[in-house]
Amino acid sequence: MAITSANQLELLQTAEAVAREKMIDPDLVIQAMEDSLARAAKSRYGSEMDIRVSIDRKTGRATFTRVRTVVADDELENYQAQLTVDQAKQYKSDPQIGDEIVDEVPPVDLGRIAAQSAKQVILQRVREAERDRQFEEFKDRKGTIINGVVKREEYGNIIVDVGRGEAILRRNEKIGRESYRPNDRIRAYVKDVRREARGPQIFLSRTDPQFMAELFKMEVPEIYDGIIEIKAVARDPGSRAKIAVISHDNSIDPVGACVGMRGSRVQAVVGELQGEKIDIIPWNPDQATFLVNALQPAEVSKVVVDEDAGKIEVVVPDEQLSLAIGRRGQNVRLASQLTGLDIDILTEAEESARRQAEFAERTKLFVDALDLDEFFAQLLVSEGFTNLEEVAYVDVDELLAIEGVDEDTAHELQARARDHIEAENNRAIAAAKELGVEQSLFDFEGLTPQMIEALAKDDVKTLEDFATCADWELAGGWTTVEGKRVKDEGILEKFGMSLEDAQNLIMHARVQLGWVDPSELEPAEEETEEADEE
């Protein structure tokens, strides 16, 4: 195929047709043609030559040029694409290093192989341009709802035509057992848009909690306008969901606005979600109040929040237990997702029994350790003392506030508590040494003698042993075995060791041993300090 006047206009017409079909800039197609023709010309004239092709955007005439760059004498490497200043003087009166000498060369006749190669280059560049266009078009639609038409199903995944591209709704992102046929209309949430080798991948979801939030935004004008804000969403797709809302206008009821007249607004969302039951809950900045709302329709007697551990205990009347937990634990699971807290639900009878057991255990501790009678030990427990350290190191005034305790009695109590703690520490140290614990572990700050004894019993006897531990080995955690969650008891869990504390201790041990650069700890510590200040 020769680039002659007969087919010059054909180039422009082909470029226009391809650009129109792929909805891209015609100039990109022409640039791809120029590159492909230049590659074909190099195969004819020599790959070392710098051959460039320019296609006139009006006439379609292709101009082939050879470009040579002026370089210093000692830098001349490629005689086909470079020339010295002296050599360039025959083409230019005053050549300078870096100048380009451009000569027009005869057009090439494209053989069958060269023409095929040129076609491949053009197709590749067109595909790249098409992918770039699709990515730029859809990247800003992430986090929104999109309408499309089902094209086909592949291994349970739905391929959706979304206008200028295709999207995929994976099998696990569909609600329940819903099925689609080609040409069915579908509405879904754009979960992610990624640029991949085979083109931009648009991932859709109908199970994502934000899909429901976006549906409410479409159905409730007050949410769209920002008067009502969706604070949290939790879903069990196709079955039940909870959504927490708050109104920034005191005159507007957030729950009523989301429900709509005779339930019209919420029913529109329920219909799209295949009949998913939706609990609309008023959000509250107070965790306990919010949780009581989240556990609706169950009634709650008492809430105990442990902010440090991120856990919360909820006490319900005996007859409300099944309602609070829900079918297969659904109600409490959704409430946990909504509040971001681990929730333990107890009946009033269970809570009472547990508290009685704790009271008896602490009373026995004080009776045995401090040599007190049962009544006096119960008095200490009733005043909120839970362990010997609190008695030993609390301000004396707190002990004097207990009815019947004078100054001598208070000092005697503290002396007995300290003696007992010291005796226990000495016993634990002796036991740990008996087990073969090295001095490096005793010298490490942050571990009590009782902790060291517990570590020794688990064959952790040196600082090196401790530094190789995982945080969950110390603080405990959960693993999934055959689909069931199994509790892993931590070596130091009984001492109230949290995962964060375990991580910090292990990292400081590694620093002390020289395994970790201390500067690696600084960013994390600074972030913690900033969070504490806030």
Side-chain angles (χ1 to χ4, degrees):
M1 181 182 111
I3 305 296
T4 62
S5 56
N7 58 22
Q8 286 172 0
L9 285 174
E10 224 174 278
L11 285 175
L12 294 181
Q13 290 168 357
T14 302
E16 295 266 350
V18 171
R20 222 175 11 253
E21 180 187 345
K22 302 296 185 181
M23 290 176 284
I24 58 176
D25 185 354
D27 197 53
L28 291 172
V29 183
I30 294 175
Q31 286 175 20
M33 290 178 170
E34 291 172 341
D35 288 348
S36 64
L37 290 172
R39 181 178 291 188
K42 278 186 180 182
S43 66
R44 167 73 182 277
Y45 288 112
S47 59
E48 292 184 346
M49 284 193 182
D50 185 1
I51 303 292
R52 302 178 190 177
V53 178
S54 174
I55 297 175
D56 189 294
R57 272 37 173 187
K58 292 182 180 178
T59 65
R61 182 177 181 273
T63 305
F64 290 70
T65 56
R66 173 192 183 188
V67 179
R68 287 177 290 176
T69 306
V70 179
V71 297
D73 292 355
D74 58 345
E75 293 180 2
L76 184 64
E77 294 177 353
N78 183 355
Y79 293 94
Q80 300 291 347
Q82 296 174 332
L83 68 174
T84 63
V85 175
D86 289 339
Q87 290 171 339
K89 285 179 179 177
Q90 59 182 309
Y91 303 102
K92 198 172 183 179
S93 58
D94 184 25
Q96 302 292 321
I97 292 175
D99 286 353
E100 290 185 340
I101 307 299
V102 181
D103 301 322
E104 189 169 342
V105 296
V108 297
D109 290 335
L110 296 185
R112 183 177 60 82
I113 295 175
Q116 189 66 25
S117 175
K119 181 181 177 183
Q120 290 299 324
V121 172
I122 293 169
L123 290 174
Q124 179 64 23
R125 289 288 295 274
V126 167
R127 276 196 294 267
E128 288 172 3
E130 187 181 16
R131 285 200 289 261
D132 288 342
R133 176 195 60 74
Q134 285 185 8
F135 179 76
E136 291 300 320
E137 180 175 342
F138 286 99
K139 69 176 182 179
D140 296 328
R141 299 194 66 177
K142 181 180 175 181
T144 63
I145 286 178
I146 197 168
N147 293 308
V149 176
V150 175
K151 289 186 73 173
R152 63 188 181 279
E153 183 174 347
E154 295 178 354
Y155 307 107
N157 303 322
I158 305 296
I159 308 302
V160 181
D161 183 351
V162 289
R164 294 188 177 186
E166 286 185 354
I168 182 169
L169 177 67
R170 293 191 184 279
R171 182 170 45 194
N172 60 337
E173 297 290 349
K174 294 190 291 185
I175 297 174
R177 298 183 181 180
E178 63 183 3
S179 59
Y180 296 94
R181 296 179 179 178
N183 299 321
D184 282 354
R185 294 201 61 80
I186 188 171
R187 181 187 284 182
Y189 177 75
V190 181
K191 192 171 184 177
D192 197 10
V193 180
R194 296 199 294 264
R195 194 196 295 268
E196 297 189 356
R198 57 182 178 179
Q201 291 289 295
I202 305 161
F203 296 96
L204 304 180
S205 175
R206 284 175 55 80
T207 61
D208 194 284
Q210 290 305 310
F211 179 45
M212 188 174 76
E214 289 296 315
L215 287 172
F216 268 104
K217 190 182 290 186
M218 294 170 67
E219 296 294 337
V220 183
E222 291 87 349
I223 295 177
Y224 183 83
D225 294 336
I227 299 169
I228 293 174
E229 182 185 354
I230 297 173
K231 298 291 285 187
V233 182
R235 288 182 65 195
D236 194 349
S239 177
R240 192 169 178 186
K242 291 178 184 284
I243 180 169
V245 291
I246 185 173
S247 174
H248 297 299
D249 184 337
N250 293 332
S251 64
I252 295 177
D253 171 26
V255 176
C258 292
V259 171
M261 188 73 70
R262 294 178 182 173
S264 57
R265 291 174 174 176
V266 72
Q267 283 305 317
V269 177
V270 168
E272 180 63 45
L273 299 179
Q274 306 292 326
E276 198 168 304
K277 294 176 183 175
I278 302 173
D279 296 333
I280 303 170
I281 294 158
W283 185 83
N284 195 295
D286 179 59
Q287 277 187 334
T289 306
F290 180 35
L291 182 59
V292 170
N293 294 339
L295 281 169
Q296 291 177 1
E299 296 176 9
V300 175
S301 305
K302 185 166 46 172
V303 173
V304 181
V305 180
D306 184 349
E307 292 183 357
D308 293 335
K311 292 183 178 179
I312 198 160
E313 281 186 357
V314 176
V315 181
V316 297
D318 292 17
E319 68 276 5
Q320 291 282 312
L321 180 63
S322 59
L323 193 59
I325 294 174
R327 187 176 58 182
R328 298 193 185 99
Q330 185 183 65
N331 193 51
V332 69
R333 184 171 66 251
L334 290 175
S336 180
Q337 290 175 19
L338 202 67
T339 57
L341 292 166
D342 284 336
I343 302 171
D344 291 331
I345 294 187
L346 304 172
T347 63
E348 290 175 343
E350 288 172 337
E351 197 239 358
S352 175
R354 194 189 68 176
R355 294 207 176 281
Q356 286 175 8
E358 286 177 357
F359 189 87
E361 185 182 343
R362 289 169 186 168
T363 299
K364 186 176 185 306
L365 171 68
F366 292 143
V367 168
D368 295 342
L370 302 179
D371 193 22
L372 301 176
D373 60 43
E374 189 174 357
F375 174 77
F376 201 99
Q378 288 176 346
L379 190 60
L380 282 177
V381 177
S382 300
E383 290 294 329
F385 290 94
T386 60
N387 56 55
L388 292 175
E389 283 76 8
E390 290 178 1
V391 177
Y393 303 111
V394 77
D395 193 280
V396 176
D397 290 341
E398 291 195 34
L399 289 171
L400 293 174
I402 301 173
E403 188 177 347
V405 175
D406 57 22
E407 197 160 337
D408 290 340
T409 306
H411 286 302
E412 177 61 23
L413 278 172
Q414 290 199 316
R416 288 185 187 182
R418 288 169 184 168
D419 288 344
H420 190 276
I421 291 169
E422 186 179 355
E424 275 297 302
N425 287 346
N426 291 335
R427 184 206 57 76
I429 290 170
K433 286 181 177 178
E434 184 82 20
L435 290 166
V437 172
E438 292 186 6
Q439 191 61 37
S440 59
L441 202 56
F442 285 114
D443 294 339
F444 181 64
E445 290 185 15
L447 296 176
T448 66
Q450 286 80 7
M451 288 180 180
I452 294 172
E453 182 187 6
L455 288 167
K457 288 178 180 177
D458 212 80
D459 210 29
V460 179
K461 300 177 182 179
T462 67
L463 191 59
E464 286 82 357
D465 293 341
F466 183 78
T468 57
C469 288
D471 51 9
W472 60 267
E473 287 181 282
L474 301 183
W478 294 86
T479 53
T480 303
V481 179
E482 297 179 356
K484 294 182 180 179
R485 293 190 78 204
V486 178
K487 183 74 172 72
D488 289 323
E489 295 296 334
I491 304 170
L492 305 180
E493 189 174 356
K494 63 183 178 182
F495 301 102
M497 177 73 67
S498 68
L499 277 173
E500 186 179 355
D501 292 338
Q503 288 167 4
N504 289 334
L505 284 173
I506 292 166
M507 287 305 293
H508 280 95
R510 291 172 183 173
V511 169
Q512 196 165 309
L513 289 165
W515 297 356
V516 175
D517 187 341
S519 62
E520 294 180 26
L521 297 181
E522 290 173 7
E525 288 174 354
E526 286 172 8
E527 286 171 13
T528 305
E529 287 171 8
E530 286 172 9
D532 291 342
E533 287 172 8
E534 289 174 4

